[in-house]
């Protein structure tokens, strides 16, 4: 795939995107369509009615009706203009209905400026609300709009993969509600700018009104619980950090709370756990893994990114999701992935998949966010590799290698990992297992110390930022001082697995890469006659110009996700001016 149409944006500035027309994961993966509609482009791109304004904060109020399966809501969007503009694109998915939209208007009355709220017109186009402000805004100005709405939101059919609003009951018949909307979009339950590139830099408020007999949990910290005069209470939660719109969710049920304080690298971190009352004993035992996980990840990835908002696990009526500072937990209080090991090695049964994987997203996905979901491998590939990192912390390096290599059995190579840009469409679900193995291979190319330093610097460089695959790739190449561009192209933009052809002619070892992108070049480590060597092969035949490494029986390092094929070499196949596999011949590997 050609490297075109990359989004180059960070939070706040106006963003322009060039239009380019079963994984066990939490993202609702694209359905493989090749033809995209205007609705897809409106949702997936930053058009002119999105580009001129930047979200500063959300204040969302919602009141669900469990019997009617409906909601009433009010969303206030605080924004500022980064360019001149008047018409806004607000996203709210059908069948939800907008009742009214208001904006603040400044008037000069009685010798003073008075701010009032004025109802403004809007037009509906499928899942988009076109809003025309009373007057054009100039760059640098700020305002708010408030949208009142109601209706029956899309119900989740198979959450979290086929998402929506979740209406369930617990084992004792109590209402149990939540939302899973990654990929589908948060606009299925509240109006917003439903695009990952624009997170509110000053966070969000979520006010949930539920029956007095229930508890309502959300992201961030609980600011108040107020009883109303109708048998309901409103729970007010506040997030201080930037947050993806799909991560802002309510959890409503018969919950109990317990917690602990983790002594983290940036001081005390509040860890709060909300579970259904009848599961408290199970949760107290299972959630003892949290401090171990945090200790490991802070060593490898840097400080937890949301100290101001705390860390929470909230029992959910679906398997799990990385809802920032309030992770959805539905793994049944057992190790593995619903009691199984995705790697087939047994190592994944030593820890709880949802605790480890979804917490890894706090670094990759929640703090570091891809601006377009086409680049979601930045979330899922690195997060999938955090499972390997935790396995190493818990069980050692050999077990970690066995775990990530075991994940290869789930790779499909059905389509490229990076999807089409600007249409809200993801690439292959291989972004998880293949993405993790790409990262693991890069680790072995650059070495452990460089790799660990790279992860730490990456989480500093992109802290609380939106970014692109292109920017992440460039960062890795620059930090490691390695020409990895072809490797990224091969594994992210192709489905072919490179084949290393090799053979011996007149006692000399020859190698080349095939089934790969033009100009592909990658180091490879192999063992022969009990000695381990490193060579650098390209797409043209190269020979061993030095001594050693010419054995007929070669074992290639299992940490490289490649295929190999021994070839019977003829003189006509080999160039007369062949380059060396290394400048001074194949080099023995030093002890690691």
């Amino acid at each position: 795939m050609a490297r075109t149409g990359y989004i180059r944006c960070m939070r706040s500035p106006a963003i322009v995107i060039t239009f380019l027309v079963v994984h066990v994961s939490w993202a609702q993966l694209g359905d493989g369509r090749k033809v995209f509609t205007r609705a897809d482009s409106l949702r997936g791109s930053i058009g002119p009615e999105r580009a001129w304004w930047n979200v500063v904060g959300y204040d969302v109020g919602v009141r669900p009706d469990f019997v009617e399966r409906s909601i009433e809501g009010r969303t206030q969007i605080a924004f500022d203009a980064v360019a001149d503009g008047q018409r806004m694109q607000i996203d709210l998915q059908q069948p939800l209905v907008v009742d009214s939209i208001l904006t603040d208007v400044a008037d000069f009355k009685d010798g003073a400026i008075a701010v009032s709220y004025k109802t403004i017109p809007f037009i509906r186009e499928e899942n988009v609300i076109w809003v025309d402000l009373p007057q054009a805004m100039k760059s640098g100005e700020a305002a708010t709009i408030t949208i009142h709405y109601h209706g029956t939101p899309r119900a989740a059919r198979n959450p979290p993969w086929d998402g929506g609003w979740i209406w369930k009951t617990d084992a004792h018949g109590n209402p149990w509600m939540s939302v899973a909307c990654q990929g589908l979009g948060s606009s299925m339950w509240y109006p917003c700018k439903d695009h990952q590139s624009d997170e509110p830099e000053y966070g969000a408020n979520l006010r949930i009104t539920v029956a007095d007999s229930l508890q309502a949990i959300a992201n961030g910290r609980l600011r108040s619980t107020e009883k109303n005069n109708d048998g309901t209470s409103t729970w007010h939660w506040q997030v201080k950090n930037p947050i993806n719109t799909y991560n802002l969710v309510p959890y409503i049920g018969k919950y109990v709370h317990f917690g602990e304080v983790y002594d983290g690298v940036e001081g005390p971190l509040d860890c709060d756990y909300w579970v259904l009352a009848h599961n408290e004993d199970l949760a107290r035992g299972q959630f003892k893994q949290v401090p171990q996980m945090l200790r490991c990840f802070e060593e490898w990835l840097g400080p937890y990114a949301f100290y101001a908002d705390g860390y929470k696990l909230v029992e959910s009526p679906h398997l799990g999701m990385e809802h920032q500072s309030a992770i959805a937990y539905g793994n049944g209080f057992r190790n593995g992935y619903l009691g199984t090991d995705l790697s087939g090695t047994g190592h994944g049964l030593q820890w709880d998949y949802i605790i480890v994987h979804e917490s890894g997203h706090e670094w990759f996905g929640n703090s570091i966010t891809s601006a377009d979901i086409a680049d979601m491998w930045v979330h899922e590939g690195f997060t999938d590799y955090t499972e390997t990192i935790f396995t190493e912390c818990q069980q050692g390096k050999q077990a970690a290698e066995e775990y990530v290599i075991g994940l290869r059995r789930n790779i499909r190579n059905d389509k490229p990992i990076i999807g089409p840009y600007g249409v809200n469409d993801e690439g292959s679900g291989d972004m998880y297992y293949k993405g993790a193995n790409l990262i693991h291979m890069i680790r072995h190319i650059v070495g452990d110390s460089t790799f660990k330093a790279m992860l730490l610097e990456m989480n500093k460089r992109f802290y609380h930022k939106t970014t692109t695959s292109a920017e992440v790739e460039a960062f890795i190449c620059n930090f490691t001082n390695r020409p990895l561009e072809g490797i990224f192209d091969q594994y992210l933009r192709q489905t072919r697995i490179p084949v290393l052809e090799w053979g011996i002619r007149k006692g000399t070892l020859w190698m080349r890469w095939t089934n790969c992108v033009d100009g592909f070049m990658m180091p490879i480590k192999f063992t022969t006659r009990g000695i381990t060597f490193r060579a650098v092969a390209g797409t043209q035949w190269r020979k061993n110009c030095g001594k050693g490494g010419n054995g007929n029986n070669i074992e290639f390092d299992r940490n490289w996700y490649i295929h190999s094929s021994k070839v019977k070499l003829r003189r006509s196949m080999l160039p007369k001016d062949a380059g060396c596999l290394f400048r001074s011949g194949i080099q023995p590997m030093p002890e690691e």
Side-chain angles (χ1 to χ4, degrees):
M1 180 182 293
R3 288 192 172 196
T4 58
Y6 287 110
I7 315 158
R8 296 202 177 272
C9 56
M10 303 301 284
R11 287 197 183 89
S12 298
I15 300 164
V16 177
I17 294 180
T18 302
F19 284 76
L20 297 179
V21 176
V22 143
H23 182 277
V24 284
S25 67
W26 325 148
Q28 281 113 27
L29 299 177
D31 60 8
R33 294 174 298 166
K34 299 301 181 183
V35 177
F36 296 99
T37 66
R38 169 174 164 79
D40 295 322
S41 294
L42 287 174
R43 171 65 200 289
S45 63
I46 298 296
E49 292 82 7
R50 276 175 162 177
W52 69 267
W53 58 282
N54 164 67
V55 179
V56 175
Y58 286 105
D59 194 312
V60 179
V62 65
R63 181 177 184 137
D65 186 320
F66 183 77
V67 175
E68 298 294 330
R69 301 297 198 260
S70 65
I71 60 175
E72 293 181 3
R74 174 211 45 84
T75 294
Q76 185 175 74
I77 305 174
F79 65 98
D80 53 27
V82 295
D84 296 353
Q86 186 170 11
R87 170 164 276 206
M88 305 177 71
Q89 175 186 331
I90 305 296
D91 305 294
L92 184 67
Q93 295 180 32
Q94 297 174 320
L96 293 178
V97 176
V98 174
D99 299 312
S100 64
I101 301 179
L102 299 89
T103 189
D104 51 322
V105 177
D107 294 315
F108 190 76
K109 289 183 179 180
D110 301 324
I113 296 177
V115 177
S116 60
Y117 287 90
K118 180 179 180 179
T119 301
I120 53 177
F122 60 89
I123 300 171
R124 174 135 220 170
E125 181 184 350
E126 297 183 351
N127 294 326
V128 167
I129 310 297
W130 300 109
V131 179
D132 291 301
L133 299 176
Q135 58 190 28
M137 292 180 63
K138 300 293 184 182
S139 178
E141 294 180 341
T144 64
I145 60 169
T146 303
I147 303 108
H148 294 270
Y149 63 101
H150 76 280
T152 303
R154 168 182 167 139
R157 299 181 181 92
N158 182 30
W161 305 280
D162 190 351
W165 193 284
I166 303 167
W167 310 93
K168 288 191 176 182
T169 55
D170 66 19
H172 298 286
N174 302 303
W176 195 14
M177 294 169 273
S178 189
V179 174
C181 60
Q182 185 184 15
L184 172 62
S186 51
S187 57
M188 58 74 43
W189 76 277
Y190 73 93
C192 59
K193 182 193 276 191
D194 204 354
H195 196 274
Q196 286 185 181
S197 65
D198 194 354
E199 298 180 2
E201 48 260 56
Y202 294 109
N205 290 274
L206 181 52
R207 307 169 198 270
I208 314 161
T209 300
V210 297
D212 287 335
S213 59
L214 301 174
Q215 290 73 44
I217 318 305
N219 316 76
R221 296 187 183 273
L222 181 62
R223 295 306 178 193
S224 65
T225 304
E226 297 182 2
K227 285 188 175 294
N228 305 313
N229 296 321
D230 58 357
T232 66
S233 297
T234 300
W235 295 62
H236 173 201
W237 294 82
Q238 182 182 47
V239 178
K240 289 190 174 182
N241 292 294
I243 185 169
N244 303 334
T245 54
Y246 74 81
N247 270 334
L248 187 67
V249 296
Y251 302 87
I252 302 163
K254 200 78 170 179
Y255 285 109
V256 295
H257 167 260
F258 65 98
E260 61 185 320
V261 176
Y262 169 73
D263 184 15
V265 298
E266 291 195 346
L269 173 63
D270 294 328
C271 298
D272 293 285
Y273 312 120
W274 294 83
V275 298
L276 298 180
H278 57 276
N279 287 329
E280 181 178 356
D281 289 343
L282 289 172
R284 284 184 178 274
Q286 191 71 2
F287 292 176
K288 289 180 180 178
Q289 296 183 33
V290 170
Q292 305 167 30
M293 173 274 301
L294 288 171
R295 190 172 300 109
C296 175
F297 285 176
E298 287 204 320
E299 176 191 344
W300 275 83
L301 311 176
Y304 173 72
F306 307 104
Y307 271 77
D309 293 322
Y311 172 93
K312 285 188 293 299
L313 292 176
V314 187
E315 188 175 359
S316 62
H318 62 88
L319 181 58
M321 182 64 77
E322 66 268 21
H323 298 143
Q324 184 174 309
S325 74
I327 291 167
Y329 178 87
N331 202 34
F333 308 101
R334 50 185 165 170
N335 283 350
Y337 175 93
L338 291 175
T340 65
D341 177 12
L342 297 177
S343 75
T345 64
H347 299 303
L349 294 175
Q350 304 304 308
W351 40 267
D352 189 308
Y353 182 91
I354 296 300
I355 292 176
V356 172
H357 180 92
E358 302 304 346
S359 296
H361 273 305
E362 296 283 41
W363 284 263
F364 299 105
N366 298 348
S367 178
I368 303 174
T369 304
S370 66
D372 191 305
I373 69 171
D375 286 334
M376 283 286 285
W377 86 274
V378 175
H379 295 203
E380 301 299 352
F382 281 94
T383 296
D384 219 58
Y385 197 69
T386 64
E387 302 163 22
T388 299
I389 289 172
F390 184 74
T391 300
E392 183 168 342
C393 289
Q394 184 191 60
Q395 303 170 51
K397 190 171 182 179
Q398 180 177 338
E401 291 181 355
E402 291 170 356
Y403 178 80
V404 70
I405 292 168
L407 293 177
R408 292 176 190 168
R409 65 182 189 156
N410 304 307
I411 297 173
R412 297 172 298 183
N413 287 313
D414 56 343
K415 57 182 179 178
I417 286 176
I418 292 180
Y421 291 96
V423 288
N424 195 54
D425 195 69
E426 297 177 4
S428 171
D430 285 348
M431 69 178 80
Y432 295 79
Y433 311 122
K434 188 176 178 181
N437 272 277
L438 167 61
I439 294 163
H440 184 67
M441 192 164 57
I442 289 173
R443 173 182 178 175
H444 282 267
I445 290 172
V446 305
D448 283 353
S449 59
T450 298
F451 178 76
K452 189 173 184 179
M454 181 200 78
L455 291 180
L456 291 168
E457 180 60 26
M458 182 177 175
N459 278 282
K460 292 178 182 177
R461 185 77 55 89
F462 299 103
Y463 180 81
H464 288 185
K465 288 184 172 67
T466 57
T467 188
T468 67
S469 180
E471 290 172 338
V472 169
E473 293 168 46
F475 163 78
I476 294 173
C477 293
N478 291 334
F479 187 89
T480 62
N481 196 28
R482 299 286 184 127
L484 304 172
E485 293 87 351
I487 297 173
F488 284 122
D489 281 342
Q490 179 72 36
Y491 287 89
L492 297 177
R493 300 174 179 90
Q494 301 280 327
T495 60
R496 297 173 293 169
I497 301 305
V499 176
L500 184 63
E501 292 186 341
W502 67 279
I504 303 292
R505 179 166 175 79
K506 294 185 176 181
T508 298
L509 173 67
W510 294 73
M511 289 183 181
R512 72 171 180 179
W513 291 109
T514 62
N515 201 40
C516 54
V517 298
D518 291 343
F520 183 75
M521 184 173 291
M522 183 167 68
I524 185 66
K525 189 164 69 171
F526 65 91
T527 301
T528 182
R529 295 173 179 170
I531 303 174
T532 299
F533 299 88
R534 181 186 289 268
V536 180
T539 55
Q540 302 298 318
W541 284 108
R542 291 184 172 195
K543 63 181 178 180
N544 177 14
C545 301
K547 297 180 179 179
N550 292 320
N552 279 294
N553 295 314
I554 290 179
E555 181 178 345
F556 293 99
D557 193 308
R558 63 178 186 170
N559 294 296
W560 269 253
Y561 177 42
I562 62 167
H563 298 311
S564 63
S565 175
K566 187 176 182 180
V567 177
K568 185 176 181 180
L569 298 177
R570 300 185 303 274
R571 185 174 65 178
S572 60
M573 299 169 57
L574 304 176
K576 295 180 179 179
D577 56 348
C580 296
L581 286 168
F582 200 80
R583 287 180 180 174
S584 57
I586 291 180
Q587 303 296 302
M589 290 293 296
E591 291 294 328
E592 295 185 358

